[in-house]
Amino acid sequence: MRHMGGERVTEAVADAVALLRTVADRDWDGVKAGRLDWSCRATAEHVAGDLIAYAGQLAGRAQRAYVPFEITLDEGTGNDGLLDVIETTGALLTAALRTTPPGVRAFHPYPFRSANREGFAAMGVAEVLLHTHDIAVGLGLAYEPPAALPRFVLTTIFPEVRPDADPWRTLLWATGRGDLPGRAPVDAWRWKNDLVLPSERLTLQGLTPATATDLAQGGDGGFDWVVGGPYEGTREAAGMLTQAYEAGLHRPEFGVFVLVRREDGLAVGGIGFHGAPDEEGRAEIGYDLVEGARGRGYASEALDALSRWALARDAVHSLCATVEEGNAPSQRVAERAGYVRAGAEEERAVQDRHESEGSLLLYVRRDPGTPSGR
């Protein structure tokens, strides 16, 4: 999966600026931008400020907060000059995206305190598209960006929004700027960058619908894999995530993660949930490793890290993993990660659910405060 973030930012900025230059001679200060409280002029300045802020976060590898700087325009700068600034800040973000390695993350507050280069690209594109829409509404212009741009935004930072045949109308609806048939109006929203969990030797990097789709279709998902990867189980899990996304059922924190080795940045396997926790707070986890990465404790390390994170959530009381009876290595993975063999009744229920003839064993790890029968 080739990194397209820089190209998407370039395309979004060029398309927006081309439209806005046609009305640069008009008064932007005295006109409200769509439903916003800002004027069209203030909204355009906001776009430039966000683009340079995102470039600064990535270039400076900021980890604790936003880098404390902002841009100001020279006194007397007209609308044409402001559009020059948007083009320049867009080019700076594009340069930062193209020179940032895939594993780098920088601070962003929503919702997991960091974002990678794809996340910053999608946020930059979203700022350009949405605020160009706001300005266009205020100035009475028709505006619709190329469909690939809102689709990129939706599949990267709106993972819980069920897709529609028209990605631009879907993005406008998801951000409270329009209506979609059969869907309730949106009055509050946040985009979501992917979740990344650290362990001693690995990072567990959450898949977005965009990266999951690429993996499910035979791509690399934007990861550099060890020889032999990704394993087929990872592709199948990515396909399940894509199906959940298309049905509007995907919850990214209970999705699929690729295991990336810290020492060399190579992906060695996958781990993830079979779905969100049920009403009783139970969730099932599956995992796999590329064959050449097995036997080094990576799977147990990842399973322990993901289990600790999940059991710290209020919605989760117990986790389970089903293992084939003859797969002794996978059984040891579960045991080293703190899982214990379930009771016969629980195991039979899972076998029935999987339509198994007794070949599956059930391993369980519980919140210490949860009764064993729950």
Side-chain angles (χ1 to χ4, degrees):
M1 179 180 179
R2 188 166 67 89
H3 173 49
M4 295 286 291
E7 295 176 27
R8 298 300 188 209
V9 170
T10 298
E11 183 179 8
V13 169
D15 184 64
V17 168
L19 174 68
L20 296 178
R21 283 207 189 277
T22 65
V23 290
D25 60 340
R26 291 172 56 181
D27 175 23
W28 291 11
D29 269 318
V31 180
K32 186 177 176 182
R35 301 181 183 181
L36 303 181
D37 292 330
W38 300 332
S39 70
C40 291
R41 170 78 179 199
T43 302
E45 292 177 0
H46 171 81
V47 171
D50 276 344
L51 293 174
I52 193 62
Y54 294 157
Q57 292 301 99
L58 276 179
R61 310 292 195 256
Q63 297 299 310
R64 298 185 304 276
Y66 275 115
V67 179
F69 78 101
E70 60 183 30
I71 59 171
T72 57
L73 276 61
D74 291 343
E75 186 175 350
T77 299
N79 294 334
D80 266 319
L82 173 53
L83 292 173
D84 290 342
V85 174
I86 291 177
E87 286 181 320
T88 300
T89 54
L92 290 170
L93 175 56
T94 295
L97 291 166
R98 289 175 174 168
T99 56
T100 298
V104 169
R105 300 185 72 83
F107 173 83
H108 189 276
Y110 305 125
F112 303 119
R113 311 291 289 178
S114 73
N116 61 8
R117 62 186 186 182
E118 284 77 14
F120 277 106
M123 290 187 289
V125 171
E127 295 287 352
V128 173
L129 301 188
L130 295 172
H131 290 316
T132 299
H133 164 81
D134 298 331
I135 297 169
V137 169
L139 297 175
L141 303 173
Y143 171 65
E144 181 163 349
L149 297 176
R151 185 179 298 114
F152 169 66
V153 172
L154 289 167
T155 57
T156 305
I157 56 175
F158 285 88
E160 294 178 290
V161 172
R162 176 167 55 88
D164 189 83
D166 189 331
W168 178 228
R169 301 287 175 264
T170 304
L171 181 60
L172 292 176
W173 167 81
T175 57
R177 289 171 167 84
D179 299 317
L180 275 184
R183 303 200 200 186
V186 172
D187 55 14
W189 59 275
R190 291 286 191 196
W191 51 51
K192 278 195 172 184
N193 284 291
D194 60 323
L195 173 63
V196 169
L197 300 174
S199 69
E200 182 180 356
R201 297 174 295 166
L202 306 168
T203 56
L204 284 62
Q205 299 192 18
L207 293 182
T208 65
T211 53
T213 298
D214 185 70
L215 273 171
Q217 294 177 349
D220 57 20
F223 298 92
D224 294 325
W225 290 84
V226 296
V227 175
Y231 193 68
E232 190 58 35
T234 299
R235 295 198 187 280
E236 292 175 359
M240 292 170 59
L241 187 158
T242 301
Q243 291 174 5
Y245 168 67
E246 292 173 347
L249 301 175
H250 177 48
R251 289 179 60 185
E253 61 268 41
F254 294 105
V256 180
F257 300 78
V258 166
L259 312 182
V260 178
R261 198 160 54 191
R262 289 175 179 269
E263 67 182 46
D264 54 13
L266 295 180
V268 298
I271 191 169
F273 299 91
H274 290 203
D278 63 20
E279 293 180 354
E280 297 186 13
R282 294 178 298 197
E284 184 174 351
I285 293 181
Y287 47 87
D288 65 37
L289 287 177
V290 178
E291 187 171 353
R294 296 173 186 171
R296 305 177 193 181
Y298 292 143
S300 292
E301 180 179 326
L303 181 57
D304 179 60
L306 187 58
S307 300
R308 288 176 184 273
W309 180 87
L311 289 170
R313 315 272 77 75
D314 291 340
V316 181
H317 300 299
S318 65
L319 300 169
C320 68
T322 55
V323 183
E324 292 182 1
E325 188 172 12
N327 191 345
S330 187
Q331 294 167 31
R332 289 193 292 271
V333 166
E335 290 167 353
R336 286 195 295 266
Y339 284 67
V340 297
R341 181 84 178 270
E345 185 175 344
E346 280 187 285
E347 197 162 74
R348 279 195 299 271
V350 169
Q351 290 171 352
D352 290 343
R353 189 162 64 247
H354 286 268
E355 299 181 351
S356 167
E357 297 180 354
S359 62
L360 291 179
L361 307 181
L362 178 67
Y363 285 81
V364 178
R365 178 166 166 173
R366 292 184 171 86
D367 181 332
T370 301
S372 61
R374 185 168 178 172

